[in-house]
Amino acid sequence: MKVLVVGGAGYVGSHTVRLLLAQGHEVWVYDNLSLGHRESVPAGRLIEGNLTDRALLMQVMRDKEIEAVMHFAAYALVGESVQHPAMYYQNNVIATFELLEAMRAVGVWRFVFSSTTATYGQPETMPISEDTPQNPINPYGFTKLVVERALADYAHAYGFGVAALRYFNASGAASDASIGEDHDPESHLIPIVLQVALGQRPHISIFGTDYPTEDGTCIRDYIHVEDLATAHLAALQKLQPNSVLQMNLGTGVGHSVQQVIEACRKITGHPIPAVIGPRRAGDPACLIADSSKAQRELNWRPKYVSIESIVETAWKWHQSHPRGYSS
Ligand code: UFG
């Protein structure tokens, strides 16, 4: 299939691009490189452009005879979304509508969308299934939920076939360490802990040890970025006109912050000093996926089931790219 990957120079997008190419798809990456990395895009596949440039999007889709769009381009930091909601609604919602309208104008109907566990807010019951009510508690979650709802309407009214994939905590790196996670500034747990092991930070700060969990630290469901990529390909094959797929993507196993740090100590052999700090605003205590729907309907299974195996790939990436893509 001829696939336009919007935001394909970013973390999850770049890993999906690799897999699409490996499986014989014709892939074009559309990215403005505001957060993405040129180095992560295979040679000759990058088209630089903004999501708000509807005319360019239409031209690209026509010229390249695009049959499907995967949309990864978004801001995705909860705290930042609380401080700068306008930026989030502008980029994640308004700009996304430019993309959808460009697709509608040229008749492209297949759409795979990066959604998030943040659309659920703080559910009372675990694990989280697709039937769990979506009550986001921050602007980031709202922006993704707005687009999910719009996609259902576009499917119904305009014949789009859409998949909204609700990621839990994307983590790890390509198994050959050629691409991986590189955010500036970095805010995610595993890369920060590994930066301590590399000697780039003195310690990891644990954001709260008074949560109602076994060891008092927050629990998350860490899902390997290559497993996310396989789910995207499976969803792409499943798309039908006038249809909506909504799937949680996680392993179904939760790990506390303490357990993640312990796994990193084991893999790196570094003592990784930890300092207990206050809670980070907006962090839910526990988020674990029920991904049985994706397993059933996409015939998808995460390959990386242990936290150690995920950290191992991230560690290889960070060791070989201690300064990320600018190494
Ligand atoms: N944490 C620390 N210290 C750090 C960084 C993180 O203790 O220096 C903790 C956080 O408090 C949290 C856990 O580690 O409990 C994981 O934090 P991340 O920042 O790695 O990930 P989040 O769970 O906050 O964020 C993820 C995605 C977001 C998404 C969010 C939805 O990265 O895009 O889940 O809840 F919005």
Side-chain angles (χ1 to χ4, degrees), residues 50-61:
N50 283 318
L51 207 43
T52 46
D53 193 342
R54 194 192 299 188
L56 178 60
L57 282 163
M58 285 169 60
Q59 187 196 322
V60 167
M61 284 193 259

Side-chain angles (χ1 to χ4, degrees), residues 76 78 140 169 187-189 204-205 207 218 220 280 283 287:
V78 168
Y140 170 58
N169 286 58
S187 66
H188 295 98
L189 179 64
I204 174 75
S205 299
F207 297 152
C218 288
R220 295 287 181 273
R280 185 172 68 177
D283 271 343
L287 296 169

